[in-house]
Amino acid sequence: VQLQASGGGLAQTGGSLTLSCAASGNILRFEIMNWYRQAPGKQRDLVATITTSGTTTYADSVKGRFTISGDNAKNTVYLQMNSLSPEDTAIYYCNAELITRHFPFKWAGWGRGTQVTVSS
């Protein structure tokens, strides 16, 4: 099982980017998928969460600007980021809890990060 994050890059203040996190392997479904971010010299913080039922939660700092969504058929989660500011500059990581088709039938882990840089 692997998580592959993509979609990072350079954006200007006020711009938008969309991140994707695709889970691959013998997966039945995801239970919960999260986006975290870590700015230089700072701890890794939770940005947004989506459950398999579609329930979403957001950090206060991104509410109203970021939208997390999921495609259960593709085992992929997206993070649409609008109204970006330099404070959003960080490495973004996806994290998931998955139900797999084979023992031990659960998997939890991280994908590699994707860099998001917002210029002022």
Side-chain angles (χ1 to χ4, degrees):
V1 177
Q2 282 188 325
L3 292 178
Q4 181 67 49
S6 61
L10 179 64
Q12 292 185 334
T13 296
S16 300
L17 285 172
T18 300
L19 306 183
S20 299
C21 178
S24 61
N26 286 316
I27 300 164
L28 188 60
R29 68 176 186 276
F30 72 85
E31 287 284 274
I32 187 168
M33 292 186 81
N34 308 295
W35 282 102
Y36 285 76
R37 68 185 181 186
Q38 187 167 20
K42 296 189 177 180
Q43 66 182 19
R44 189 174 297 188
D45 292 326
L46 180 62
V47 174
T49 295
I50 186 167
T51 68
T52 190
S53 62
T55 301
T56 59
T57 56
Y58 298 92
D60 288 343
S61 60
V62 306
K63 280 181 182 176
R65 301 188 299 121
F66 289 12
T67 302
I68 189 170
S69 61
D71 184 334
N72 290 338
K74 295 181 179 179
N75 290 316
T76 299
V77 171
Y78 306 95
L79 185 68
Q80 174 68 43
M81 305 185 294
N82 298 325
S83 301
L84 286 165
S85 72
E87 289 70 33
D88 296 314
T89 295
I91 300 174
Y92 284 70
Y93 298 89
C94 59
N95 163 271
E97 295 177 15
L98 308 172
I99 302 299
T100 61
R101 290 189 170 89
H102 300 292
F103 183 84
F105 303 110
K106 285 190 175 182
W107 182 93
W110 296 84
R112 289 186 179 181
T114 184
Q115 176 71 47
V116 171
T117 302
V118 184
S119 62
S120 58

